[in-house]
Amino acid sequence: MTINGIGVSPGIAIGKASLLKKQEAALSGITLNDEDIVIEIEKFNSAVTLSVQEVEAMVSSYDQSQGKEGLEILETHIELLTDPQISEDVTEKISKEKKNANDAVIEVIRAAVDLFKNMDDEYLSARAADVQDIGNRLLRNLNASVSTTISAYEVDTIIIAEDLTPSDTISMDTTHVAGFATQVGGRTSHAAIIARSRGIPAIVGCGITLMDIKDGDLLILDGQNGAIIINPDKNTVEQYRIKQENWLKQNNLLRSLKDTPATTTDGVNIKLMANIGDTNDMEQAIGFGAEGAGLLRTELLFMGRDAVPSEDEQFEFYKAVALKAKGKPVIVRTLDIGGDKQLPYFNFPAEQNPFLGYRAIRICLDRPDIFIVQLKAILRASAFGRLKIMFPMISNIQEVKAAKVILQQAKDELAKAGINFDKNIPVGIMIEIPSAAITADLLAKEVDFFSIGTNDLCQYTLAVDRMNEQIKELYDPYNPGVLRLIAYVIEQGHKNNVEVGMCGELASDPKATLLLLGMGLTEFSMSAAAIPEIKNIIINNSLATAKQIHKRVIEMDNSALITAYLQEITL
Ligand code: PEP
Ligand code: MG
């Protein structure tokens, strides 16, 4: 039997289930005599002091190698424990309503938890767990019976619980606990955040069926796919053991490289960035050591809904991503719809060749009403982080100039309204159409950066539909024609002082890393999970070697030779 939930922390755990029963704190209903009021207030104050000391002890023994997220959460707990409002509310309940400290704490915490839970913002609403957490701690220290403490467990225990508090997750002994699953919770709950930063495989939001699991059941918990297999057969266990080993190898590499700069052995710094679609991806990217986002595909915000998102909605979205990036750069690509990306509420014309048709910047220039709204939203968000603007599907210089005119208009309107934005926001274009690649020297005069989109560059250079399975063998980024265009764009970018990155899939292909490096590419953007492997190649090779590789490849006249050679040197 399999139970599914939200996989929030990847990795595979195989072990025995241990059900964590939550004991609700009970109200005593006692009414105090006047002379007991001072005693109960003192009891509460002592519980606060003791609780703060406990959390401070957790802070000082905190293992920084487990990521600093846990530390930040503990510091929030100290702030909550010493929050004057909570203290005032509890004291008032004791002195005016004559409740004992236990009941006063339960009621004040319940009200605060409800307040957070009902907030619309997913992140803020998940903070209810922190308030509950400090409440439980206070009650424990008041000798009330509340317990979700994670005590000693057998090796390879998988904890099954209704919910886990952040401090349960922080203090989990990972030498014994192999993973956990909870009935409730979402991706942004602190239990999930801590699990990710501590590398504990975890699944949340499994629903009530999770409680079908019995103490001692053998479980396989797949934190990547959000699945728990209950009492699997031998073959399945064997299969998952192999998966687990592979994952551990990959993960160890990841963890050991996360904070290592991507520098070649001869000292050249390479920027490894992530391709993202939303704030979750941004958070994940930072976890994988990305130095920013080389591509935010904004069309994802426009999909799966029934109308164009408003300027405010878009602003909030871009702002949230900018804040999540914590000062790292984010390249925001303007709307790239059309082709294979259709919107249900947008009237696309029927076209013979959608990929050669009404797409991306062509739509935006045709519909400045939609375009300017997006530009204004991005500009407003640029006051909250290091955003850059990128136009997709540029085929000629007039399009760049026209897009910049609308951008200027957006800036003028915001300036007139006294709204803050980054006046020097860098502007770049995607190089994904052959005419743009061949005229890179001309386009360079108009922009601050290029990003090579090999997915489209390959399809347009080779006249091969990227979606057509029948001709997929022809879709080949190692075709010398495609490689020459890429090399030319990088060369012209450098000659003209324009930064050049790559955000197409080729940037994440380990076979291509040294070749691209040898061409002079210094910025690679890819799905976050691919970063460690690419970084590993970069830090173990020199630019000098990469240049030699590029030299050899230029002499080859077909992609079979090129890929065989690259395959050989990558192994
Ligand atoms: C590309 O074309 O290489 C690219 C990154 O853009 P998309 O895949 O979104 O078209
Ligand atoms: Mg593209």
Side-chain angles (χ1 to χ4, degrees):
M1 185 191 160
T2 302
I3 292 175
N4 293 302
I6 310 164
V8 289
S9 179
I12 287 163
I14 303 173
K16 293 264 169 74
S18 177
L19 269 63
L20 194 74
K21 303 242 164 39
K22 199 166 98 183
Q23 277 174 266
E24 283 288 339
L27 289 169
S28 66
I30 290 172
T31 307
L32 296 176
N33 295 323
D34 284 348
E35 59 271 27
D36 291 334
I37 287 176
V38 180
I39 300 171
E40 288 297 312
I41 291 175
E42 263 172 26
K43 253 171 123 182
F44 168 67
N45 288 335
S46 312
V48 170
T49 310
L50 207 59
S51 302
V52 170
Q53 282 167 357
E54 278 177 4
V55 182
E56 279 173 348
M58 286 170 81
V59 168
S60 50
S61 64
Y62 190 83
D63 176 3
Q64 295 263 9
S65 70
Q66 309 255 333
K68 59 180 183 333
E69 289 86 347
L71 212 53
E72 285 167 7
I73 290 167
L74 291 174
E75 272 151 14
T76 318
H77 285 198
I78 296 179
E79 274 170 34
L80 283 171
L81 281 165
T82 49
D83 183 75
Q85 189 63 53
I86 291 181
S87 164
E88 206 176 288
D89 290 351
V90 171
T91 314
E92 198 172 290
K93 274 199 187 293
I94 299 173
S95 55
K96 298 217 172 106
E97 295 175 36
K98 305 202 172 171
K99 311 234 166 175
N100 68 5
N102 178 69
D103 292 4
V105 168
I106 291 176
E107 288 184 7
V108 168
I109 295 296
R110 258 186 209 162
V113 165
D114 286 346
L115 193 76
F116 274 100
K117 262 194 185 154
N118 292 327
M119 286 182 179
D120 279 339
D121 183 289
E122 188 196 356
Y123 181 82
L124 283 177
S125 127
R127 301 293 72 80
D130 293 285
V131 180
Q132 188 62 62
D133 195 337
I134 63 119
N136 291 354
R137 191 176 290 287
L138 283 171
L139 290 167
R140 259 200 312 274
N141 287 323
L142 278 170
N143 299 320
S145 65
V146 191
S147 132
T148 50
T149 13
I150 309 279
S151 47
Y153 284 109
E154 303 274 323
V155 172
D156 286 335
T157 294
I158 296 176
I159 293 178
I160 302 297
E162 185 196 332
D163 198 6
L164 285 171
T165 64
S167 50
D168 282 339
T169 326
I170 291 171
S171 54
M172 218 173 246
D173 172 9
T174 48
T175 58
H176 289 75
V177 176
F180 69 79
T182 61
Q183 254 186 67
V184 299
R187 270 199 71 81
T188 54
S189 67
H190 272 157
I193 293 171
I194 301 284
R196 279 196 290 281
S197 86
R198 297 193 67 200
I200 306 170
I203 303 177
V204 302
C206 298
I208 193 76
T209 49
L210 188 68
M211 293 308 158
D212 291 347
I213 295 174
K214 293 181 192 58
D215 262 320
D217 275 348
L218 178 65
L219 303 179
I220 294 174
L221 183 147
D222 179 348
Q224 176 80 45
N225 298 310
I228 307 163
I229 308 172
I230 307 169
N231 295 322
D233 59 32
K234 253 190 175 168
N235 275 347
T236 314
V237 174
E238 223 19 72
Q239 227 179 311
Y240 272 88
R241 287 235 184 268
I242 295 167
K243 274 193 188 182
Q244 188 183 38
E245 240 168 69
N246 290 340
W247 158 258
L248 284 174
K249 256 192 235 154
Q250 165 79 13
N251 195 43
N252 285 342
L253 182 66
L254 158 84
R255 288 193 163 254
S256 67
L257 294 183
K258 179 176 177 270
D259 299 316
T260 308
T263 308
T264 60
T265 52
D266 46 357
V268 181
N269 289 325
I270 304 300
K271 275 196 205 129
L272 296 184
M273 321 275 280
N275 292 350
I276 61 167
D278 57 23
T279 49
N280 282 340
D281 290 352
M282 188 69 240
E283 186 182 330
Q284 194 196 20
I286 289 178
F288 276 98
E291 290 185 54
L295 170 63
L296 167 61
R297 287 186 161 102
T298 60
E299 51 278 6
L300 301 183
L301 171 67
F302 288 67
M303 291 172 166
R305 48 188 302 137
D306 44 29
V308 176
S310 69
E311 182 185 317
D312 278 349
E313 243 177 295
Q314 290 191 54
F315 161 65
E316 291 298 341
F317 177 82
Y318 306 136
K319 176 183 161 187
V321 175
L323 292 174
K324 264 276 167 343
K326 300 199 170 121
K328 295 186 192 324
V330 176
I331 298 181
V332 186
R333 181 174 74 181
T334 58
L335 196 54
D336 185 13
I337 44 167
D340 59 324
K341 297 174 208 152
Q342 301 284 321
L343 301 179
Y345 53 89
F346 196 93
N347 237 346
F348 287 100
E351 292 180 291
Q352 294 277 359
N353 293 297
F355 270 117
L356 301 180
Y358 196 56
R359 260 195 86 177
I361 196 71
R362 299 168 181 181
I363 296 180
C364 286
L365 294 176
D366 185 48
R367 292 290 306 270
D369 54 323
I370 294 177
F371 195 31
I372 200 162
V373 167
Q374 181 173 39
L375 291 172
K376 280 163 83 174
I378 300 170
L379 285 168
R380 282 169 62 192
S382 71
F384 298 87
R386 271 175 71 196
L387 299 188
K388 302 182 185 189
I389 293 180
M390 175 159 78
F391 304 125
M393 282 284 292
I394 293 294
S395 67
N396 63 51
I397 203 162
Q398 296 94 304
E399 284 166 342
V400 186
K401 289 184 175 168
K404 282 168 67 182
V405 167
I406 301 176
L407 177 63
Q408 189 54 50
Q409 195 187 329
K411 286 182 174 181
D412 292 345
E413 287 180 22
L414 291 181
K416 212 167 151 199
I419 296 170
N420 242 350
F421 63 92
D422 176 2
K423 302 205 168 40
N424 300 313
I425 190 164
V427 175
I429 53 173
M430 295 227 20
I431 303 285
E432 53 186 344
I433 295 182
S435 62
I438 295 166
T439 56
D441 55 327
L442 307 176
L443 295 171
K445 310 277 187 285
E446 288 295 323
V447 295
D448 302 306
F449 66 91
F450 291 152
S451 185
I452 305 173
T454 52
N455 309 343
D456 278 316
L457 187 60
C458 190
Q459 93 163 335
Y460 294 130
T461 306
L462 303 174
V464 178
D465 180 346
R466 64 194 258 194
M467 312 293 286
N468 191 332
E469 276 292 302
Q470 231 175 339
I471 47 170
K472 69 173 192 290
E473 306 304 329
L474 287 172
Y475 183 87
D476 182 3
Y478 293 96
N479 177 300
V482 179
L483 294 180
R484 282 189 191 187
L485 285 180
I486 294 172
Y488 183 73
V489 173
I490 298 170
E491 182 199 314
Q492 289 305 318
H494 290 173
K495 269 195 188 155
N496 292 282
N497 272 330
V498 160
E499 281 177 32
V500 185
M502 176 179 286
C503 62
E505 288 304 306
L506 194 63
S508 63
D509 183 346
K511 276 200 307 300
T513 310
L514 292 177
L515 174 63
L516 295 171
L517 215 56
M519 289 179 180
L521 190 74
T522 50
E523 198 174 302
F524 295 63
S525 192
M526 62 199 79
S527 77
I531 290 177
E533 193 178 359
I534 301 300
K535 192 188 272 184
N536 199 32
I537 296 173
I538 291 169
I539 61 174
N540 284 299
N541 284 281
S542 67
L543 180 62
T545 312
K547 281 188 173 161
Q548 289 301 324
I549 291 166
H550 179 211
K551 238 178 165 177
R552 292 274 309 267
V553 169
I554 296 175
E555 288 159 8
M556 299 179 186
D557 65 3
N558 72 80
S559 78
L561 261 183
I562 295 172
T563 43
Y565 167 65
L566 292 176
Q567 183 73 55
E568 191 188 307
I569 55 152
T570 314
L571 290 174

